[in-house]
């Protein structure tokens, strides 16, 4: 008898991986060594736990954060130590199982919107520190939101059987300690690939295209491998500065979802940030000569762009700041050096122009006005087309259509 594949899949889901054991409720300790809590806090910044587990305007870690996935909206849960609505009765073993295997205390499969496919690489010691940090937060009584994913949790079990490779990161003895530390953080808690690696139809990262660039929350997260579109190829020093401060010489300022990542990394020690930079730069296999040629060409394009008057919208709205270069007061980066011009879609550029650059409270960074409503769609299309040409890349397809997709509510 030949069963349709879909039916087989259903049978497999229902029978194969439906449930796991429940881990007993406990009354976890409420006090931990201070050093362990502080270490956990730093690791929580690397893992951006706060970002996915805190709702806009909500209490830290109390959940409710909507995460849009192609399968529906999944909400970050309450991971404060509240006994009823949070994880206050989770033992370290239950917490570890969630981080490594994506299973909650009661044995239910968790959806991979929780990036446990990365977190599984985390050592016992680091998971214990995260646990100490989480368990010493303020308990908040707040019920978890319903998800709108029309799939039973068992599908997450099936997904894991296909894609999850549980297990702690194994250092590569041929590489330096710093590189290994960086790989551990990037592949594990930092889950950089969750945004920078393209996914297949079932939402799994394509392993053979790791860090090749991907669409996320309506933005394009640029490639970090040899296909990096960065006009000036990244060096370890520049990347360390960027990850720490959101901006580095001759590179664009972090924006969109990356601004949040950088904000979190600003709380992480220099050694770890440098290790992350070391590992990421090693993903780019181009020779020094190729990298230098790429950089020289970009600098030449930037000089040429500043010298020419070529587009009325640009000259009127942007040139005053961007032609000056950062070296001058009130000046900003020469735009041909911005990655927003070289990525495969005009969306990043459209968002930046729409929303401007507003420094976070207490952070020193440049300020750029938001142009929302100030430019017509036709002007914006014309400007984006012009800027793309400055970058030396082939023209974008359907700029007007892409701009429409970036209008509010379309994300
Ligand atoms: C990209 C978003 C994202 C990040 C980053 C993230 N989480 Fe989550 N997490 C989720 C989502 C979504 C769920 C719920 C999944 C579900 O309902 O199936 C979840 C569930 C959990 C759970 C299970 C809780 C429960 O109520 O069942 C724990 C524990 C947890 N996360 C801890 C953490 C920690 C610790 C970090 C930081 C190291 C972290 N998460 C970072 C999205 C995230
Ligand atoms: C008042 C000055 C000012 C004006 C006018 C301005 N910008 Fe900016 N822009 C900035 C600053 C400051 C930054 C962030 C820091 C930096 O890049 O030097 C920035 C950042 C950007 C970025 C991100 C890449 C980067 O350089 O960090 C893009 C893209 C950008 N601007 C495009 C534009 C476009 C297109 C216009 C015209 C529609 C424009 N800007 C008008 C000041 C300005
Ligand atoms: C939530 C999604 C997300 C995560 C997680 C994330 N990034 Fe990004 N990243 C983006 C997006 C979107 C951009 C493009 C916007 C911009 O340039 O600021 C970006 C830009 C960057 C850039 C600038 C690229 C260029 O050439 O201009 C670098 C470098 C980078 N990310 C590195 C990292 C590293 C390292 C990590 C892990 C520690 C990471 N990202 C995690 C979404 C993410």
């Amino acid at each position: 008898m030949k069963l349709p594949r879909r039916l087989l899949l259903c049978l497999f889901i229902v029978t194969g991986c439906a449930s796991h054991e429940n881990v007993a409720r406990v009354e976890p300790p409420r006090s931990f060594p201070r050093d362990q809590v502080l270490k956990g806090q730093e690791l929580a910044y690397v893992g951006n736990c706060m970002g996915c587990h805190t709702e806009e305007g909500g209490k830290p870690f109390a959940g409710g954060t909507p995460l849009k996935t192609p399968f529906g909206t999944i909400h970050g849960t309450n991971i404060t130590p509240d006994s009823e609505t949070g994880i206050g009765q989770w033992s370290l073993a239950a917490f570890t199982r969630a981080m490594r295997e994506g299973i909650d205390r009661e044995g239910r499969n968790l959806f991979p919107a929780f990036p446990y496919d990365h977190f599984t690489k985390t050592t016992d010691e680091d998971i214990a520190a995260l646990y100490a940090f989480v368990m010493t937060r303020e308990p908040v009584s707040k019920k978890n939101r319903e998800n709108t994913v029309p799939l039973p949790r068992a599908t997450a079990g099936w997904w894991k059987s296909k894609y999850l490779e549980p297990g702690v990161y194994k250092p590569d003895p041929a590489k330096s300690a710093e590189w290994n530390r960086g790989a551990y953080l990037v592949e594990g808690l930092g889950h950089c690939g969750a945004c920078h690696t393209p996914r297949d139809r079932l939402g799994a990262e394509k392993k053979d295209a790791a860090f090749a660039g991907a669409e996320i929350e309506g933005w394009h997260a640029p490639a970090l491998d040899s296909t990096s579109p960065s006009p000036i190829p990244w060096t370890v020093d520049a990347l360390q500065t960027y990850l720490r401060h959101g901006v580095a010489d001759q590179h664009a300022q972090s924006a969109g979802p990356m601004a949040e990542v950088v904000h979190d990394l600003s709380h992480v020690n220099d050694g770890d940030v440098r290790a992350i930079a070391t590992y990421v730069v090693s993903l780019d296999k181009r020779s020094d000569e190729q990298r230098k040629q790429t950089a020289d060409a970009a600098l030449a394009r930037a000089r040429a762009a500043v010298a020419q008057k070529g587009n009325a919208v640009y000259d009127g709205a942007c040139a005053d700041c961007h032609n000056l270069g950062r070296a001058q007061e009130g000046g900003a980066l020469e735009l041909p050096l911005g990655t927003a011009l070289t990525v495969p879609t005009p969306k990043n550029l459209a968002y930046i122009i729409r929303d401007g650059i507003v420094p976070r409270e207490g952070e020193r960074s440049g300020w750029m006005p938001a142009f929302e409503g100030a430019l017509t769609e036709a002007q914006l299309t014309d400007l984006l087309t012009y800027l793309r040409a400055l970058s030396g890349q082939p023209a974008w397809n359907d700029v007007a259509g892409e701009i429409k997709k970036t209008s509010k509510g379309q994300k």
Side-chain angles (χ1 to χ4, degrees), residues 90-393:
W90 286 40
S91 60
L92 175 59
F95 182 79
T96 305
R97 185 173 72 169
M99 294 285 285
R100 291 251 174 84
E101 299 169 47
I103 299 169
D104 76 2
R105 189 191 62 76
E106 288 160 80
R108 282 178 309 188
N109 289 304
L110 293 162
F111 289 111
F114 172 29
Y116 50 72
D117 51 334
H118 291 276
F119 293 170
T120 187
K121 299 200 161 41
T122 311
T123 60
D124 286 343
E125 195 190 333
D126 284 353
I127 291 183
L130 280 164
Y131 180 74
F133 172 68
V134 169
M135 286 300 170
T136 48
R137 296 309 89 200
E138 182 198 335
V140 178
S141 172
K142 179 166 182 273
K143 280 222 169 69
N144 284 328
R145 289 246 179 98
E146 289 294 326
N147 294 327
T148 60
V149 182
L151 299 168
R153 287 202 169 267
T155 47
W158 173 78
W159 189 93
K160 286 189 280 186
S161 70
K162 200 166 148 59
Y163 296 111
L164 177 65
E165 290 167 22
V168 177
Y169 173 76
K170 287 197 196 66
D172 177 347
K175 296 288 202 318
S176 70
E178 186 172 61
W179 185 95
N180 274 301
R181 176 72 183 161
Y184 168 71
L185 293 171
V186 167
E187 303 287 348
L189 279 176
H191 67 281
C192 313
C195 293
H196 287 272
T197 298
R199 293 175 186 269
D200 66 14
R201 276 187 313 137
L202 294 171
E205 288 169 33
K206 293 183 183 162
K207 296 244 154 70
D208 56 352
F211 302 104
E215 298 291 306
I216 181 86
E217 296 169 35
W219 286 71
H220 181 83
L224 299 175
D225 62 5
S226 309
T227 65
S228 159
S230 182
I232 307 282
W234 290 98
T235 61
V236 176
D237 282 339
L239 189 54
Q240 180 184 8
T241 307
Y242 172 85
L243 292 174
R244 197 62 207 262
H245 303 288
V247 59
D249 281 353
Q250 301 184 327
H251 288 277
Q253 180 166 321
S254 64
M258 192 61 200
E260 169 121 10
V261 173
V262 163
H263 177 72
D264 277 3
L265 289 178
S266 71
H267 299 273
V268 175
N269 67 77
D270 282 327
D272 278 352
V273 175
R274 186 156 184 95
I276 291 175
T278 300
Y279 175 68
V280 170
V281 168
S282 80
L283 300 169
D284 179 348
K285 311 284 185 216
R286 287 174 293 179
S287 67
D288 288 350
E289 184 52 32
Q290 279 172 307
R291 291 161 55 87
K292 186 174 177 307
Q293 277 172 11
T294 305
D296 288 348
L299 291 171
R301 274 196 303 274
R303 276 194 301 272
V306 166
Q308 80 179 41
K309 276 205 186 313
N311 176 278
V313 187
Y314 177 80
D315 293 336
C318 324
D320 278 354
C321 300
H322 285 284
N323 276 7
L324 287 180
R326 284 212 189 108
Q328 290 187 48
E329 175 121 12
L333 188 72
E334 298 88 334
L335 286 186
L337 300 180
T339 327
L341 278 61
T342 53
V343 291
T345 104
K347 285 191 208 151
N348 290 11
L349 189 51
Y351 289 130
I352 293 169
I353 297 173
R354 181 188 77 188
D355 298 337
I357 305 256
V358 187
R360 272 187 179 230
E361 221 177 285
E363 281 180 14
R364 277 177 53 207
S365 68
W367 170 84
M368 161 171 156
F371 285 89
E372 184 168 28
L375 299 173
T376 64
E377 259 180 40
Q379 284 174 320
L380 198 52
T381 307
D382 178 44
L383 174 63
L384 263 50
T385 307
Y386 169 73
L387 290 174
R388 177 67 169 182
L390 288 186
S391 80
Q393 299 291 317

